[in-house]
Amino acid sequence: MTRTSRAPLIAALALVGLALTACGDQEPDAAADPSQDPSTSTSESPSESPSETSSEAPGPDCASVWVAGQTLPQNYQGCQDAEKGRWVQAMVYRCSSDQQLVTFGTTFYAAKGEVVNESDVPLRRNKDFQKALASCGA
């Protein structure tokens, strides 16, 4: 890859990094579910794990993972939603840069290994998230 062809990639990554640092309060909105947008390519879709019938939680509690300002684990695959009593598979957008942008509910987002952001509006209306998604090339 030449230095010239790397410039757009570096600029896009910088924009994603800036966009992922924004945070605030939020209210859920089901319309921001990425699975409802056919133009969005996702590598994984939310689903219930077969282990949900087990008495042991298959992974971390969603409320402890999706905290604004906390780092989303690099190996995040999903979480146990204690309120709904089920496993929530990670909703992942694979970026052209190989980075993975993840959403939870309608107002949380983060790149794996980066800071969790909580939007004060649904992600479909959050300008910072939309810029991050566009820069990501998902």
Side-chain angles (χ1 to χ4, degrees), residues 1-137:
M1 188 178 276
T2 66
R3 178 177 268 177
T4 307
S5 63
R6 288 184 188 162
L9 177 61
I10 292 169
L13 288 175
L15 284 173
V16 169
L18 288 172
L20 292 177
T21 59
C23 64
D25 294 318
Q26 69 180 10
E27 287 191 355
D29 181 327
D33 182 356
S35 65
Q36 295 177 2
D37 184 358
S39 67
T40 303
S41 166
T42 59
S43 63
E44 303 169 15
S45 61
S47 63
E48 295 179 12
S49 170
S51 60
E52 89 172 49
T53 57
S54 166
S55 60
E56 277 186 46
D61 180 52
C62 296
S64 66
V65 173
W66 291 98
V67 177
Q70 186 170 293
T71 301
L72 182 67
Q74 184 67 37
N75 63 349
Y76 178 75
Q77 297 296 315
C79 58
Q80 184 67 28
D81 187 334
E83 287 182 20
K84 295 180 181 176
R86 67 182 176 101
W87 174 256
V88 179
Q89 184 73 27
M91 176 57 71
V92 179
Y93 296 85
R94 294 196 183 274
C95 300
S96 57
S97 65
D98 288 333
Q99 187 166 17
Q100 297 177 9
L101 190 60
V102 185
T103 61
F104 176 73
T106 60
T107 54
F108 284 97
Y109 68 99
K112 285 189 175 184
E114 299 294 328
V115 174
V116 171
N117 297 280
E118 184 176 10
S119 174
D120 58 350
V121 297
L123 294 177
R124 65 182 169 86
R125 294 186 314 188
N126 181 291
K127 291 179 183 181
D128 291 332
F129 173 73
Q130 293 302 320
K131 286 178 188 175
L133 196 57
S135 296
C136 170

